[in-house]
PDB file of all heavy atoms in Angstrom:
ATOM      1  N   SER A  18      86.647 124.254 177.167  1.00  0.00           N
ATOM      2  CA  SER A  18      87.770 123.328 177.061  1.00  0.00           C
ATOM      3  C   SER A  18      88.449 123.457 175.690  1.00  0.00           C
ATOM      4  O   SER A  18      89.682 123.476 175.591  1.00  0.00           O
ATOM      5  CB  SER A  18      87.279 121.897 177.279  1.00  0.00           C
ATOM      6  OG  SER A  18      88.302 120.975 177.041  1.00  0.00           O
ATOM      7  N   VAL A  19      87.652 123.557 174.642  1.00  0.00           N
ATOM      8  CA  VAL A  19      88.206 123.760 173.297  1.00  0.00           C
ATOM      9  C   VAL A  19      88.977 125.077 173.261  1.00  0.00           C
ATOM     10  O   VAL A  19      90.091 125.145 172.723  1.00  0.00           O
ATOM     11  CB  VAL A  19      87.092 123.740 172.225  1.00  0.00           C
ATOM     12  CG1 VAL A  19      87.621 124.213 170.875  1.00  0.00           C
ATOM     13  CG2 VAL A  19      86.485 122.352 172.113  1.00  0.00           C
ATOM     14  N   ALA A  20      88.407 126.123 173.849  1.00  0.00           N
ATOM     15  CA  ALA A  20      89.065 127.435 173.867  1.00  0.00           C
ATOM     16  C   ALA A  20      90.438 127.352 174.522  1.00  0.00           C
ATOM     17  O   ALA A  20      91.398 127.969 174.037  1.00  0.00           O
ATOM     18  CB  ALA A  20      88.186 128.455 174.578  1.00  0.00           C
ATOM     19  N   ASP A  21      90.558 126.593 175.599  1.00  0.00           N
ATOM     20  CA  ASP A  21      91.853 126.408 176.254  1.00  0.00           C
ATOM     21  C   ASP A  21      92.851 125.740 175.315  1.00  0.00           C
ATOM     22  O   ASP A  21      94.021 126.128 175.253  1.00  0.00           O
ATOM     23  CB  ASP A  21      91.706 125.554 177.526  1.00  0.00           C
ATOM     24  CG  ASP A  21      91.010 126.290 178.662  1.00  0.00           C
ATOM     25  OD1 ASP A  21      90.928 127.540 178.616  1.00  0.00           O
ATOM     26  OD2 ASP A  21      90.548 125.599 179.593  1.00  0.00           O
ATOM     27  N   ARG A  22      92.399 124.746 174.577  1.00  0.00           N
ATOM     28  CA  ARG A  22      93.285 124.031 173.643  1.00  0.00           C
ATOM     29  C   ARG A  22      93.674 124.911 172.451  1.00  0.00           C
ATOM     30  O   ARG A  22      94.768 124.769 171.900  1.00  0.00           O
ATOM     31  CB  ARG A  22      92.613 122.753 173.173  1.00  0.00           C
ATOM     32  CG  ARG A  22      92.517 121.714 174.286  1.00  0.00           C
ATOM     33  CD  ARG A  22      91.868 120.429 173.784  1.00  0.00           C
ATOM     34  NE  ARG A  22      91.846 119.434 174.823  1.00  0.00           N
ATOM     35  CZ  ARG A  22      90.764 119.107 175.520  1.00  0.00           C
ATOM     36  NH1 ARG A  22      89.600 119.689 175.272  1.00  0.00           N
ATOM     37  NH2 ARG A  22      90.834 118.176 176.464  1.00  0.00           N
ATOM     38  N   VAL A  23      92.783 125.807 172.064  1.00  0.00           N
ATOM     39  CA  VAL A  23      93.087 126.747 170.981  1.00  0.00           C
ATOM     40  C   VAL A  23      94.230 127.667 171.411  1.00  0.00           C
ATOM     41  O   VAL A  23      95.198 127.862 170.670  1.00  0.00           O
ATOM     42  CB  VAL A  23      91.831 127.559 170.585  1.00  0.00           C
ATOM     43  CG1 VAL A  23      92.187 128.752 169.717  1.00  0.00           C
ATOM     44  CG2 VAL A  23      90.823 126.655 169.871  1.00  0.00           C
ATOM     45  N   VAL A  24      94.124 128.226 172.600  1.00  0.00           N
ATOM     46  CA  VAL A  24      95.158 129.129 173.100  1.00  0.00           C
ATOM     47  C   VAL A  24      96.502 128.415 173.218  1.00  0.00           C
ATOM     48  O   VAL A  24      97.553 128.995 172.942  1.00  0.00           O
ATOM     49  CB  VAL A  24      94.731 129.744 174.458  1.00  0.00           C
ATOM     50  CG1 VAL A  24      95.874 130.482 175.124  1.00  0.00           C
ATOM     51  CG2 VAL A  24      93.544 130.677 174.257  1.00  0.00           C
ATOM     52  N   LYS A  25      96.484 127.143 173.581  1.00  0.00           N
ATOM     53  CA  LYS A  25      97.716 126.353 173.722  1.00  0.00           C
ATOM     54  C   LYS A  25      98.290 125.917 172.368  1.00  0.00           C
ATOM     55  O   LYS A  25      99.371 125.340 172.313  1.00  0.00           O
ATOM     56  CB  LYS A  25      97.458 125.109 174.572  1.00  0.00           C
ATOM     57  CG  LYS A  25      97.170 125.414 176.023  1.00  0.00           C
ATOM     58  CD  LYS A  25      96.838 124.131 176.776  1.00  0.00           C
ATOM     59  CE  LYS A  25      96.445 124.435 178.212  1.00  0.00           C
ATOM     60  NZ  LYS A  25      95.968 123.218 178.899  1.00  0.00           N
ATOM     61  N   GLY A  26      97.535 126.140 171.282  1.00  0.00           N
ATOM     62  CA  GLY A  26      97.998 125.739 169.964  1.00  0.00           C
ATOM     63  C   GLY A  26      97.767 124.274 169.652  1.00  0.00           C
ATOM     64  O   GLY A  26      98.253 123.769 168.645  1.00  0.00           O
ATOM     65  N   GLU A  27      97.015 123.591 170.497  1.00  0.00           N
ATOM     66  CA  GLU A  27      96.732 122.173 170.277  1.00  0.00           C
ATOM     67  C   GLU A  27      95.627 121.957 169.245  1.00  0.00           C
ATOM     68  O   GLU A  27      95.528 120.882 168.653  1.00  0.00           O
ATOM     69  CB  GLU A  27      96.321 121.516 171.600  1.00  0.00           C
ATOM     70  CG  GLU A  27      97.405 121.536 172.641  1.00  0.00           C
ATOM     71  CD  GLU A  27      96.942 121.090 174.016  1.00  0.00           C
ATOM     72  OE1 GLU A  27      95.717 120.833 174.207  1.00  0.00           O
ATOM     73  OE2 GLU A  27      97.789 121.009 174.899  1.00  0.00           O
ATOM     74  N   ARG A  28      94.790 122.976 169.077  1.00  0.00           N
ATOM     75  CA  ARG A  28      93.678 122.906 168.121  1.00  0.00           C
ATOM     76  C   ARG A  28      93.578 124.205 167.353  1.00  0.00           C
ATOM     77  O   ARG A  28      93.890 125.269 167.875  1.00  0.00           O
ATOM     78  CB  ARG A  28      92.338 122.690 168.839  1.00  0.00           C
ATOM     79  CG  ARG A  28      92.195 121.315 169.407  1.00  0.00           C
ATOM     80  CD  ARG A  28      90.812 121.064 169.926  1.00  0.00           C
ATOM     81  NE  ARG A  28      90.828 119.760 170.584  1.00  0.00           N
ATOM     82  CZ  ARG A  28      89.862 118.889 170.527  1.00  0.00           C
ATOM     83  NH1 ARG A  28      88.750 119.185 169.881  1.00  0.00           N
ATOM     84  NH2 ARG A  28      89.960 117.734 171.137  1.00  0.00           N
ATOM     85  N   ALA A  29      93.110 124.080 166.139  1.00  0.00           N
ATOM     86  CA  ALA A  29      92.726 125.253 165.360  1.00  0.00           C
ATOM     87  C   ALA A  29      91.199 125.239 165.316  1.00  0.00           C
ATOM     88  O   ALA A  29      90.591 124.196 165.079  1.00  0.00           O
ATOM     89  CB  ALA A  29      93.296 125.186 163.954  1.00  0.00           C
ATOM     90  N   LEU A  30      90.597 126.383 165.577  1.00  0.00           N
ATOM     91  CA  LEU A  30      89.140 126.514 165.557  1.00  0.00           C
ATOM     92  C   LEU A  30      88.770 127.536 164.503  1.00  0.00           C
ATOM     93  O   LEU A  30      89.241 128.677 164.540  1.00  0.00           O
ATOM     94  CB  LEU A  30      88.621 126.952 166.927  1.00  0.00           C
ATOM     95  CG  LEU A  30      87.138 127.270 167.029  1.00  0.00           C
ATOM     96  CD1 LEU A  30      86.273 126.061 166.676  1.00  0.00           C
ATOM     97  CD2 LEU A  30      86.797 127.786 168.430  1.00  0.00           C
ATOM     98  N   LEU A  31      87.953 127.093 163.564  1.00  0.00           N
ATOM     99  CA  LEU A  31      87.444 127.983 162.533  1.00  0.00           C
ATOM    100  C   LEU A  31      85.949 128.139 162.720  1.00  0.00           C
ATOM    101  O   LEU A  31      85.262 127.159 163.045  1.00  0.00           O
ATOM    102  CB  LEU A  31      87.731 127.426 161.139  1.00  0.00           C
ATOM    103  CG  LEU A  31      89.202 127.379 160.775  1.00  0.00           C
ATOM    104  CD1 LEU A  31      89.793 126.038 161.160  1.00  0.00           C
ATOM    105  CD2 LEU A  31      89.376 127.643 159.306  1.00  0.00           C
ATOM    106  N   VAL A  32      85.474 129.356 162.520  1.00  0.00           N
ATOM    107  CA  VAL A  32      84.043 129.605 162.639  1.00  0.00           C
ATOM    108  C   VAL A  32      83.530 130.284 161.379  1.00  0.00           C
ATOM    109  O   VAL A  32      84.265 131.009 160.711  1.00  0.00           O
ATOM    110  CB  VAL A  32      83.687 130.465 163.885  1.00  0.00           C
ATOM    111  CG1 VAL A  32      84.051 129.741 165.164  1.00  0.00           C
ATOM    112  CG2 VAL A  32      84.339 131.834 163.830  1.00  0.00           C
ATOM    113  N   ALA A  33      82.276 130.012 161.083  1.00  0.00           N
ATOM    114  CA  ALA A  33      81.559 130.700 160.017  1.00  0.00           C
ATOM    115  C   ALA A  33      80.563 131.629 160.700  1.00  0.00           C
ATOM    116  O   ALA A  33      79.837 131.200 161.602  1.00  0.00           O
ATOM    117  CB  ALA A  33      80.824 129.705 159.129  1.00  0.00           C
ATOM    118  N   GLU A  34      80.572 132.875 160.289  1.00  0.00           N
ATOM    119  CA  GLU A  34      79.637 133.854 160.849  1.00  0.00           C
ATOM    120  C   GLU A  34      78.758 134.422 159.745  1.00  0.00           C
ATOM    121  O   GLU A  34      79.225 134.640 158.626  1.00  0.00           O
ATOM    122  CB  GLU A  34      80.397 135.003 161.511  1.00  0.00           C
ATOM    123  CG  GLU A  34      81.204 134.596 162.716  1.00  0.00           C
ATOM    124  CD  GLU A  34      81.962 135.763 163.320  1.00  0.00           C
ATOM    125  OE1 GLU A  34      82.298 136.722 162.577  1.00  0.00           O
ATOM    126  OE2 GLU A  34      82.229 135.718 164.526  1.00  0.00           O
ATOM    127  N   GLU A  35      77.508 134.627 160.084  1.00  0.00           N
ATOM    128  CA  GLU A  35      76.568 135.342 159.226  1.00  0.00           C
ATOM    129  C   GLU A  35      75.992 136.468 160.065  1.00  0.00           C
ATOM    130  O   GLU A  35      75.506 136.231 161.186  1.00  0.00           O
ATOM    131  CB  GLU A  35      75.447 134.424 158.737  1.00  0.00           C
ATOM    132  CG  GLU A  35      75.916 133.403 157.718  1.00  0.00           C
ATOM    133  CD  GLU A  35      74.791 132.518 157.198  1.00  0.00           C
ATOM    134  OE1 GLU A  35      73.652 132.603 157.707  1.00  0.00           O
ATOM    135  OE2 GLU A  35      75.060 131.720 156.292  1.00  0.00           O
ATOM    136  N   GLU A  36      76.098 137.667 159.546  1.00  0.00           N
ATOM    137  CA  GLU A  36      75.623 138.850 160.259  1.00  0.00           C
ATOM    138  C   GLU A  36      76.192 138.913 161.676  1.00  0.00           C
ATOM    139  O   GLU A  36      75.514 139.273 162.629  1.00  0.00           O
ATOM    140  CB  GLU A  36      74.096 138.899 160.258  1.00  0.00           C
ATOM    141  CG  GLU A  36      73.524 138.986 158.852  1.00  0.00           C
ATOM    142  CD  GLU A  36      72.010 138.995 158.822  1.00  0.00           C
ATOM    143  OE1 GLU A  36      71.365 139.146 159.880  1.00  0.00           O
ATOM    144  OE2 GLU A  36      71.463 138.844 157.717  1.00  0.00           O
ATOM    145  N   GLY A  37      77.476 138.535 161.796  1.00  0.00           N
ATOM    146  CA  GLY A  37      78.172 138.635 163.064  1.00  0.00           C
ATOM    147  C   GLY A  37      77.869 137.561 164.087  1.00  0.00           C
ATOM    148  O   GLY A  37      78.339 137.625 165.219  1.00  0.00           O
ATOM    149  N   VAL A  38      77.100 136.531 163.692  1.00  0.00           N
ATOM    150  CA  VAL A  38      76.729 135.450 164.610  1.00  0.00           C
ATOM    151  C   VAL A  38      77.301 134.135 164.083  1.00  0.00           C
ATOM    152  O   VAL A  38      77.218 133.846 162.888  1.00  0.00           O
ATOM    153  CB  VAL A  38      75.195 135.341 164.754  1.00  0.00           C
ATOM    154  CG1 VAL A  38      74.803 134.170 165.640  1.00  0.00           C
ATOM    155  CG2 VAL A  38      74.623 136.637 165.300  1.00  0.00           C
ATOM    156  N   VAL A  39      77.862 133.329 164.972  1.00  0.00           N
ATOM    157  CA  VAL A  39      78.435 132.042 164.591  1.00  0.00           C
ATOM    158  C   VAL A  39      77.328 131.093 164.134  1.00  0.00           C
ATOM    159  O   VAL A  39      76.360 130.857 164.857  1.00  0.00           O
ATOM    160  CB  VAL A  39      79.212 131.414 165.774  1.00  0.00           C
ATOM    161  CG1 VAL A  39      79.658 129.998 165.439  1.00  0.00           C
ATOM    162  CG2 VAL A  39      80.420 132.268 166.144  1.00  0.00           C
ATOM    163  N   VAL A  40      77.490 130.569 162.910  1.00  0.00           N
ATOM    164  CA  VAL A  40      76.528 129.595 162.366  1.00  0.00           C
ATOM    165  C   VAL A  40      77.190 128.276 161.984  1.00  0.00           C
ATOM    166  O   VAL A  40      76.513 127.345 161.563  1.00  0.00           O
ATOM    167  CB  VAL A  40      75.757 130.162 161.151  1.00  0.00           C
ATOM    168  CG1 VAL A  40      74.895 131.349 161.550  1.00  0.00           C
ATOM    169  CG2 VAL A  40      76.710 130.498 160.013  1.00  0.00           C
ATOM    170  N   GLY A  41      78.509 128.215 162.140  1.00  0.00           N
ATOM    171  CA  GLY A  41      79.211 126.986 161.822  1.00  0.00           C
ATOM    172  C   GLY A  41      80.591 126.983 162.437  1.00  0.00           C
ATOM    173  O   GLY A  41      81.137 128.037 162.767  1.00  0.00           O
ATOM    174  N   SER A  42      81.141 125.782 162.588  1.00  0.00           N
ATOM    175  CA  SER A  42      82.497 125.670 163.122  1.00  0.00           C
ATOM    176  C   SER A  42      83.108 124.337 162.704  1.00  0.00           C
ATOM    177  O   SER A  42      82.399 123.389 162.362  1.00  0.00           O
ATOM    178  CB  SER A  42      82.512 125.788 164.648  1.00  0.00           C
ATOM    179  OG  SER A  42      81.944 124.646 165.244  1.00  0.00           O
ATOM    180  N   VAL A  43      84.416 124.296 162.751  1.00  0.00           N
ATOM    181  CA  VAL A  43      85.163 123.065 162.549  1.00  0.00           C
ATOM    182  C   VAL A  43      86.476 123.207 163.304  1.00  0.00           C
ATOM    183  O   VAL A  43      86.981 124.318 163.481  1.00  0.00           O
ATOM    184  CB  VAL A  43      85.396 122.764 161.047  1.00  0.00           C
ATOM    185  CG1 VAL A  43      86.334 123.757 160.401  1.00  0.00           C
ATOM    186  CG2 VAL A  43      85.884 121.338 160.849  1.00  0.00           C
ATOM    187  N   GLN A  44      86.997 122.081 163.762  1.00  0.00           N
ATOM    188  CA  GLN A  44      88.254 122.084 164.495  1.00  0.00           C
ATOM    189  C   GLN A  44      89.266 121.197 163.792  1.00  0.00           C
ATOM    190  O   GLN A  44      88.909 120.201 163.174  1.00  0.00           O
ATOM    191  CB  GLN A  44      88.056 121.525 165.905  1.00  0.00           C
ATOM    192  CG  GLN A  44      87.088 122.306 166.750  1.00  0.00           C
ATOM    193  CD  GLN A  44      86.816 121.594 168.053  1.00  0.00           C
ATOM    194  OE1 GLN A  44      87.743 121.189 168.746  1.00  0.00           O
ATOM    195  NE2 GLN A  44      85.546 121.443 168.387  1.00  0.00           N
ATOM    196  N   LEU A  45      90.522 121.572 163.936  1.00  0.00           N
ATOM    197  CA  LEU A  45      91.638 120.727 163.537  1.00  0.00           C
ATOM    198  C   LEU A  45      92.396 120.374 164.809  1.00  0.00           C
ATOM    199  O   LEU A  45      92.841 121.267 165.535  1.00  0.00           O
ATOM    200  CB  LEU A  45      92.580 121.468 162.588  1.00  0.00           C
ATOM    201  CG  LEU A  45      92.103 121.670 161.164  1.00  0.00           C
ATOM    202  CD1 LEU A  45      93.035 122.623 160.428  1.00  0.00           C
ATOM    203  CD2 LEU A  45      92.007 120.345 160.432  1.00  0.00           C
ATOM    204  N   ILE A  46      92.516 119.101 165.082  1.00  0.00           N
ATOM    205  CA  ILE A  46      93.296 118.658 166.231  1.00  0.00           C
ATOM    206  C   ILE A  46      94.732 118.547 165.736  1.00  0.00           C
ATOM    207  O   ILE A  46      95.083 117.624 164.992  1.00  0.00           O
ATOM    208  CB  ILE A  46      92.763 117.332 166.800  1.00  0.00           C
ATOM    209  CG1 ILE A  46      91.305 117.515 167.212  1.00  0.00           C
ATOM    210  CG2 ILE A  46      93.616 116.874 167.979  1.00  0.00           C
ATOM    211  CD1 ILE A  46      90.602 116.236 167.624  1.00  0.00           C
ATOM    212  N   LEU A  47      95.538 119.526 166.122  1.00  0.00           N
ATOM    213  CA  LEU A  47      96.912 119.639 165.638  1.00  0.00           C
ATOM    214  C   LEU A  47      97.889 118.837 166.483  1.00  0.00           C
ATOM    215  O   LEU A  47      98.921 118.391 165.991  1.00  0.00           O
ATOM    216  CB  LEU A  47      97.332 121.111 165.623  1.00  0.00           C
ATOM    217  CG  LEU A  47      96.451 122.043 164.780  1.00  0.00           C
ATOM    218  CD1 LEU A  47      96.818 123.491 165.048  1.00  0.00           C
ATOM    219  CD2 LEU A  47      96.566 121.700 163.308  1.00  0.00           C
ATOM    220  N   ASP A  48      97.586 118.681 167.748  1.00  0.00           N
ATOM    221  CA  ASP A  48      98.468 118.003 168.693  1.00  0.00           C
ATOM    222  C   ASP A  48      98.361 116.494 168.483  1.00  0.00           C
ATOM    223  O   ASP A  48      97.403 115.864 168.920  1.00  0.00           O
ATOM    224  CB  ASP A  48      98.080 118.389 170.123  1.00  0.00           C
ATOM    225  CG  ASP A  48      99.051 117.858 171.149  1.00  0.00           C
ATOM    226  OD1 ASP A  48     100.248 117.726 170.842  1.00  0.00           O
ATOM    227  OD2 ASP A  48      98.608 117.575 172.287  1.00  0.00           O
ATOM    228  N   GLN A  49      99.354 115.935 167.791  1.00  0.00           N
ATOM    229  CA  GLN A  49      99.354 114.518 167.442  1.00  0.00           C
ATOM    230  C   GLN A  49     100.584 113.839 168.043  1.00  0.00           C
ATOM    231  O   GLN A  49     101.530 114.510 168.447  1.00  0.00           O
ATOM    232  CB  GLN A  49      99.360 114.354 165.917  1.00  0.00           C
ATOM    233  CG  GLN A  49      98.135 114.924 165.231  1.00  0.00           C
ATOM    234  CD  GLN A  49      96.866 114.174 165.557  1.00  0.00           C
ATOM    235  OE1 GLN A  49      96.869 112.977 165.809  1.00  0.00           O
ATOM    236  NE2 GLN A  49      95.745 114.873 165.554  1.00  0.00           N
ATOM    237  N   PRO A  50     100.593 112.510 168.083  1.00  0.00           N
ATOM    238  CA  PRO A  50     101.774 111.802 168.589  1.00  0.00           C
ATOM    239  C   PRO A  50     103.029 112.182 167.792  1.00  0.00           C
ATOM    240  O   PRO A  50     102.942 112.604 166.630  1.00  0.00           O
ATOM    241  CB  PRO A  50     101.419 110.321 168.372  1.00  0.00           C
ATOM    242  CG  PRO A  50      99.929 110.291 168.301  1.00  0.00           C
ATOM    243  CD  PRO A  50      99.516 111.600 167.689  1.00  0.00           C
ATOM    244  N   GLU A  51     104.188 112.001 168.400  1.00  0.00           N
ATOM    245  CA  GLU A  51     105.438 112.448 167.774  1.00  0.00           C
ATOM    246  C   GLU A  51     105.736 111.760 166.446  1.00  0.00           C
ATOM    247  O   GLU A  51     106.457 112.314 165.623  1.00  0.00           O
ATOM    248  CB  GLU A  51     106.616 112.302 168.734  1.00  0.00           C
ATOM    249  CG  GLU A  51     106.997 110.873 169.078  1.00  0.00           C
ATOM    250  CD  GLU A  51     108.171 110.811 170.041  1.00  0.00           C
ATOM    251  OE1 GLU A  51     108.054 111.328 171.166  1.00  0.00           O
ATOM    252  OE2 GLU A  51     109.194 110.231 169.655  1.00  0.00           O
ATOM    253  N   ASN A  52     105.156 110.581 166.208  1.00  0.00           N
ATOM    254  CA  ASN A  52     105.400 109.913 164.931  1.00  0.00           C
ATOM    255  C   ASN A  52     104.370 110.300 163.865  1.00  0.00           C
ATOM    256  O   ASN A  52     104.356 109.730 162.781  1.00  0.00           O
ATOM    257  CB  ASN A  52     105.448 108.389 165.106  1.00  0.00           C
ATOM    258  CG  ASN A  52     104.102 107.788 165.437  1.00  0.00           C
ATOM    259  OD1 ASN A  52     103.211 108.463 165.953  1.00  0.00           O
ATOM    260  ND2 ASN A  52     103.948 106.509 165.154  1.00  0.00           N
ATOM    261  N   GLN A  53     103.524 111.286 164.174  1.00  0.00           N
ATOM    262  CA  GLN A  53     102.503 111.728 163.217  1.00  0.00           C
ATOM    263  C   GLN A  53     102.439 113.264 163.132  1.00  0.00           C
ATOM    264  O   GLN A  53     101.344 113.850 163.146  1.00  0.00           O
ATOM    265  CB  GLN A  53     101.146 111.171 163.632  1.00  0.00           C
ATOM    266  CG  GLN A  53     101.117 109.651 163.645  1.00  0.00           C
ATOM    267  CD  GLN A  53      99.862 109.117 164.292  1.00  0.00           C
ATOM    268  OE1 GLN A  53      98.758 109.588 164.055  1.00  0.00           O
ATOM    269  NE2 GLN A  53     100.026 108.100 165.126  1.00  0.00           N
ATOM    270  N   PRO A  54     103.586 113.925 163.034  1.00  0.00           N
ATOM    271  CA  PRO A  54     103.569 115.392 163.019  1.00  0.00           C
ATOM    272  C   PRO A  54     102.954 115.976 161.749  1.00  0.00           C
ATOM    273  O   PRO A  54     102.603 117.150 161.716  1.00  0.00           O
ATOM    274  CB  PRO A  54     105.055 115.762 163.122  1.00  0.00           C
ATOM    275  CG  PRO A  54     105.751 114.614 162.464  1.00  0.00           C
ATOM    276  CD  PRO A  54     104.938 113.398 162.874  1.00  0.00           C
ATOM    277  N   HIS A  55     102.807 115.158 160.727  1.00  0.00           N
ATOM    278  CA  HIS A  55     102.288 115.593 159.433  1.00  0.00           C
ATOM    279  C   HIS A  55     100.763 115.522 159.351  1.00  0.00           C
ATOM    280  O   HIS A  55     100.175 115.918 158.357  1.00  0.00           O
ATOM    281  CB  HIS A  55     102.874 114.701 158.334  1.00  0.00           C
ATOM    282  CG  HIS A  55     102.496 113.260 158.505  1.00  0.00           C
ATOM    283  ND1 HIS A  55     102.995 112.488 159.534  1.00  0.00           N
ATOM    284  CD2 HIS A  55     101.644 112.469 157.811  1.00  0.00           C
ATOM    285  CE1 HIS A  55     102.475 111.267 159.449  1.00  0.00           C
ATOM    286  NE2 HIS A  55     101.653 111.230 158.413  1.00  0.00           N
ATOM    287  N   ARG A  56     100.112 115.049 160.411  1.00  0.00           N
ATOM    288  CA  ARG A  56      98.686 114.740 160.370  1.00  0.00           C
ATOM    289  C   ARG A  56      97.900 115.620 161.334  1.00  0.00           C
ATOM    290  O   ARG A  56      98.392 116.029 162.362  1.00  0.00           O
ATOM    291  CB  ARG A  56      98.498 113.273 160.763  1.00  0.00           C
ATOM    292  CG  ARG A  56      97.056 112.813 160.744  1.00  0.00           C
ATOM    293  CD  ARG A  56      96.962 111.326 161.007  1.00  0.00           C
ATOM    294  NE  ARG A  56      97.187 110.951 162.386  1.00  0.00           N
ATOM    295  CZ  ARG A  56      96.282 111.064 163.359  1.00  0.00           C
ATOM    296  NH1 ARG A  56      95.096 111.578 163.111  1.00  0.00           N
ATOM    297  NH2 ARG A  56      96.564 110.668 164.572  1.00  0.00           N
ATOM    298  N   ALA A  57      96.637 115.858 160.989  1.00  0.00           N
ATOM    299  CA  ALA A  57      95.676 116.500 161.891  1.00  0.00           C
ATOM    300  C   ALA A  57      94.334 115.801 161.725  1.00  0.00           C
ATOM    301  O   ALA A  57      94.031 115.250 160.658  1.00  0.00           O
ATOM    302  CB  ALA A  57      95.528 117.988 161.588  1.00  0.00           C
ATOM    303  N   ASP A  58      93.549 115.812 162.775  1.00  0.00           N
ATOM    304  CA  ASP A  58      92.189 115.267 162.720  1.00  0.00           C
ATOM    305  C   ASP A  58      91.209 116.416 162.555  1.00  0.00           C
ATOM    306  O   ASP A  58      91.282 117.410 163.282  1.00  0.00           O
ATOM    307  CB  ASP A  58      91.838 114.531 164.015  1.00  0.00           C
ATOM    308  CG  ASP A  58      92.647 113.266 164.216  1.00  0.00           C
ATOM    309  OD1 ASP A  58      93.256 112.781 163.257  1.00  0.00           O
ATOM    310  OD2 ASP A  58      92.670 112.765 165.357  1.00  0.00           O
ATOM    311  N   LEU A  59      90.304 116.282 161.599  1.00  0.00           N
ATOM    312  CA  LEU A  59      89.222 117.244 161.445  1.00  0.00           C
ATOM    313  C   LEU A  59      88.103 116.791 162.368  1.00  0.00           C
ATOM    314  O   LEU A  59      87.722 115.622 162.353  1.00  0.00           O
ATOM    315  CB  LEU A  59      88.735 117.267 159.998  1.00  0.00           C
ATOM    316  CG  LEU A  59      87.805 118.416 159.693  1.00  0.00           C
ATOM    317  CD1 LEU A  59      88.554 119.446 158.857  1.00  0.00           C
ATOM    318  CD2 LEU A  59      86.592 117.938 158.950  1.00  0.00           C
ATOM    319  N   SER A  60      87.598 117.699 163.187  1.00  0.00           N
ATOM    320  CA  SER A  60      86.653 117.312 164.230  1.00  0.00           C
ATOM    321  C   SER A  60      85.515 118.316 164.367  1.00  0.00           C
ATOM    322  O   SER A  60      85.706 119.514 164.155  1.00  0.00           O
ATOM    323  CB  SER A  60      87.427 117.220 165.556  1.00  0.00           C
ATOM    324  OG  SER A  60      86.580 116.907 166.621  1.00  0.00           O
ATOM    325  N   LYS A  61      84.379 117.794 164.750  1.00  0.00           N
ATOM    326  CA  LYS A  61      83.201 118.600 165.099  1.00  0.00           C
ATOM    327  C   LYS A  61      82.863 119.657 164.049  1.00  0.00           C
ATOM    328  O   LYS A  61      82.745 120.833 164.339  1.00  0.00           O
ATOM    329  CB  LYS A  61      83.380 119.277 166.462  1.00  0.00           C
ATOM    330  CG  LYS A  61      83.582 118.338 167.621  1.00  0.00           C
ATOM    331  CD  LYS A  61      82.291 117.672 168.034  1.00  0.00           C
ATOM    332  CE  LYS A  61      82.447 116.840 169.277  1.00  0.00           C
ATOM    333  NZ  LYS A  61      83.209 115.603 169.079  1.00  0.00           N
TER     334      LYS A  61
END
């Protein structure tokens, strides 16, 4: 579900990799109400 939102541009997904394996992640929820275009939520 997150991957679908990433492709749509609704979320940014960042990952940390060590030796080519994901060991961390964080998301930015970019899709906000029209009166809050300047804001994002940091999630997970």
Side-chain angles (χ1 to χ4, degrees):
S18 174
V19 169
D21 288 343
R22 290 181 177 104
V23 166
V24 170
K25 292 176 184 173
E27 297 171 355
R28 289 188 186 219
L30 174 60
L31 293 91
V32 297
E34 295 179 333
E35 289 182 354
E36 299 178 11
V38 177
V39 173
V40 296
S42 71
V43 68
Q44 299 173 50
L45 286 170
I46 301 172
L47 302 170
D48 187 31
Q49 297 293 330
E51 67 180 61
N52 70 337
Q53 299 170 44
H55 61 290
R56 181 174 75 79
D58 293 344
L59 191 106
S60 178
K61 300 284 186 288

